[in-house]
Amino acid sequence: MEMLFHTWHWALAGFLIALIMLTLNYFGKVFGMSSNLRSLCTLAGGDKCADFFKFDVKSQYWNLLVLAGAMLGGFVAVHYMSDPTNVSLNPKTIEQLQKMGIEAPQGKLLPDALFGNQVFTSPKMMAVLLIGGLLIGFGSRYAGGCTSGHAIAGMSNLQRQSLKAVVGFFIGGLIMSHFILPLIF
């Protein structure tokens, strides 16, 4: 029982993700988190403003349960399963973060300078969040899905367009972390 309240080994988490993917494939469902945004916008009346939101939202209710489960799972993981003793960063990474004025996470998964509540009081960080959110929204729409949909579902189904999207996501992440993030901080 104690194992349930510590960070799970990556192999166990990976096995469970694979099991979920096989189950979804069996029932003919396609996994992806960005499709939930489309469903939520349709439920909020977006279908009255744009044709993109005109679809049978009832067929996607199951995916809204995935969204609720991800949110609940994230809450449980952060508040009941976090184990700071297994978080270790490469010393070079810590050095690079310090050069940008970002304190090492100190056993947490994410640094407070980027993910703490104080980001909501900084106009600069609010602009970064807003612009980043718009870029992610545009990118996931342009790529026909998000990182989870392409990397987990598309790649497991051997879809060529998902491979291209995932390569693009990684290249974008590398450019962001090595070139743009240092300019922001």
Side-chain angles (χ1 to χ4, degrees):
M1 185 69 173
E2 186 175 315
M3 182 206 142
L4 290 176
F5 296 103
H6 288 284
T7 306
W8 292 358
H9 190 271
W10 62 266
L12 175 61
F15 172 76
L16 291 173
I17 290 170
L19 188 64
I20 290 169
M21 292 311 304
L22 287 172
T23 304
L24 289 174
N25 282 340
Y26 178 77
F27 288 107
K29 305 293 184 187
V30 178
F31 174 77
M33 294 305 281
S34 62
S35 58
N36 286 311
L37 295 175
R38 182 180 184 200
S39 298
L40 291 172
C41 288
T42 300
L43 290 172
D47 55 341
K48 294 170 183 61
C49 301
D51 289 339
F52 175 71
F53 299 114
K54 291 181 182 176
F55 73 103
D56 181 21
V57 72
K58 291 179 183 176
S59 68
Q60 292 297 310
Y61 282 166
W62 70 271
N63 210 8
L64 292 174
L65 288 175
V66 172
L67 177 65
M71 292 169 62
L72 178 63
F75 178 84
V76 169
V78 166
H79 293 286
Y80 300 106
M81 297 176 67
S82 294
D83 184 6
T85 61
N86 68 358
V87 176
S88 61
L89 294 176
N90 185 310
K92 289 183 180 181
T93 301
I94 294 172
E95 183 182 319
Q96 288 174 337
L97 289 172
Q98 287 173 342
K99 285 180 185 176
M100 290 186 279
I102 300 171
E103 188 176 319
Q106 305 297 338
K108 292 184 283 184
L109 295 176
L110 305 168
D112 286 335
L114 298 174
F115 299 97
N117 288 332
Q118 69 269 20
V119 300
F120 297 111
T121 61
S122 165
K124 176 182 171 183
M125 288 306 294
M126 289 298 294
V128 168
L129 290 173
L130 181 64
I131 293 167
L134 289 171
L135 289 172
I136 289 171
F138 171 78
S140 65
R141 176 69 183 115
Y142 185 73
C146 60
T147 53
S148 59
H150 281 297
I152 298 172
M155 295 285 287
S156 67
N157 289 325
L158 303 176
Q159 295 177 0
R160 185 175 296 174
Q161 66 269 25
S162 290
L163 176 62
K164 292 176 186 176
V166 170
V167 168
F169 295 148
F170 272 96
I171 290 171
L174 289 171
I175 290 169
M176 176 62 193
S177 62
H178 289 285
F179 300 113
I180 299 172
L181 189 65
L183 294 175
I184 294 171
F185 288 95

